[in-house]
Amino acid sequence: MCGIVGAGAKPATEVVAHRGYWKAEGSAQNSVASLKKAIEIGARGSECDVYITTDGVVVVHHDPTIDGKRIDESTYAALKDCKLSNGEAIPTLDELLAIARKQKHTKLIIEIKSHNTQEKEAAAVDAVLKLVKKNKMDKLVEYISFSQNVCERLIALSPKAKVAYLGSDLTPKQLSDKGYTGLDYHIGAMRAHEEWFDEAKQLGLEVNVWTVDDEPNMKWLIGKGVTYITTDEPVMLQKLLAE
């Protein structure tokens, strides 16, 4: 996921828009608009969060509930008219994949959320992989999750996929041994474990850090040579990277 660099040059850190570029006018977190805006500004990744409904539809939303309805305990029919802050209906992953497949620069970073049973998490993984394959998006999608159950099912079923763990409680060596391709840890965890930057590099793991919205931490991470920074301020980060 690194940019084009000269021989021997240090790979450039790249930008992941957290829940899309949702601070743009007319946008909202985890919306169709936020993905389109992330693509428009040339972000390398646009992150989104997904749950599966009881009838097998993968919907895009950060919180487990919307309008008082728990997503993984509801049918899609019960959710489809729920509105986001910009007036959009809650989108499906299929909708976002259809948009993302029309371009080749911005990857869709899919966070499969923790569900209230492992069976539902397995169903979510299976449904997401099926949608990605249907849309021929394997090379433009990466996966993240706080659930080791989710991550390890992804690794087992799609061994060529890029899968990173969000939980911050596994060392780079533990991740590498389990077949992860990267770690995606909170800035606080990486501040507390600076040795993980070098350990991850030595193991060939990609490093993403979230959610970083201030210049000092952005500059520190750029200096560490991280693969990605996930941010709610993608334009600010782009400007720093261009300096």
Side-chain angles (χ1 to χ4, degrees):
M1 289 179 73
C2 296
I4 299 172
V5 293
K10 186 177 180 180
T13 297
E14 297 193 295
V15 179
V16 175
H18 184 231
R19 304 176 197 168
Y21 184 21
W22 60 270
K23 289 192 174 182
E25 185 177 354
S27 190
Q29 295 185 11
N30 280 307
S31 64
V32 168
S34 71
L35 172 58
K36 288 181 176 179
K37 298 292 186 181
I39 291 170
E40 285 174 15
I41 65 170
R44 187 60 174 131
S46 183
E47 186 258 356
C48 67
D49 307 286
V50 302
Y51 293 91
I52 194 167
T53 65
T54 56
D55 51 345
V57 179
V58 181
V59 298
V60 181
H61 199 253
H62 177 266
D63 295 341
T65 61
I66 183 169
D67 292 351
K69 304 178 181 74
R70 186 173 172 98
I71 295 169
D72 63 4
E73 294 178 354
S74 302
T75 64
Y76 177 62
L79 302 172
K80 65 183 182 63
D81 295 324
C82 295
K83 302 297 184 185
L84 306 182
S85 62
N86 66 343
E88 285 183 27
I90 185 171
T92 65
L93 179 60
D94 209 16
E95 289 177 80
L96 265 58
L97 287 166
I99 293 164
R101 69 181 293 186
K102 295 176 182 177
Q103 52 80 57
K104 299 297 183 185
H105 178 78
T106 301
K107 293 196 174 192
L108 197 59
I109 313 300
I110 301 173
E111 179 182 343
I112 301 178
K113 304 295 286 186
S114 299
H115 290 58
N116 59 11
T117 69
Q118 288 197 353
E119 290 75 17
K120 288 179 182 178
E121 290 186 348
V125 168
D126 297 353
V128 168
L129 290 175
K130 185 177 180 180
L131 287 170
V132 169
K133 183 177 181 180
K134 184 192 83 169
N135 283 278
K136 299 179 180 178
M137 283 284 290
D138 300 78
K139 294 181 180 178
L140 270 177
V141 164
E142 299 189 10
Y143 304 99
I144 56 177
S145 185
F146 280 99
S147 167
Q148 291 183 48
N149 177 55
V150 164
C151 290
E152 290 168 23
R153 187 172 181 86
L154 285 165
I155 292 166
L157 295 179
S158 188
K160 293 183 179 180
K162 289 190 174 183
V163 180
Y165 179 53
L166 291 164
S168 303
D169 58 337
L170 295 178
T171 66
K173 178 65 163 58
Q174 289 173 316
L175 293 173
S176 179
D177 288 347
K178 289 174 176 287
Y180 291 79
T181 58
L183 56 88
D184 193 344
Y185 285 175
H186 186 266
I187 179 65
M190 297 308 290
R191 284 283 190 182
H193 296 279
E194 286 193 50
E195 71 277 8
W196 285 354
F197 291 104
D198 287 339
E199 289 177 20
K201 182 178 180 180
Q202 291 166 5
L203 292 164
L205 296 176
E206 293 185 335
V207 176
N208 190 6
V209 183
W210 57 272
T211 300
V212 184
D213 296 335
D214 64 287
E215 287 193 17
N217 275 318
M218 288 177 178
K219 289 179 177 178
W220 182 70
L221 291 169
I222 293 166
K224 290 290 188 181
V226 299
T227 319
Y228 309 112
I229 297 171
T230 295
T231 179
D232 291 319
E233 300 287 353
V235 174
M236 177 196 297
L237 179 54
Q238 287 177 325
K239 290 177 180 176
L240 286 178
L241 289 166
E243 290 179 354

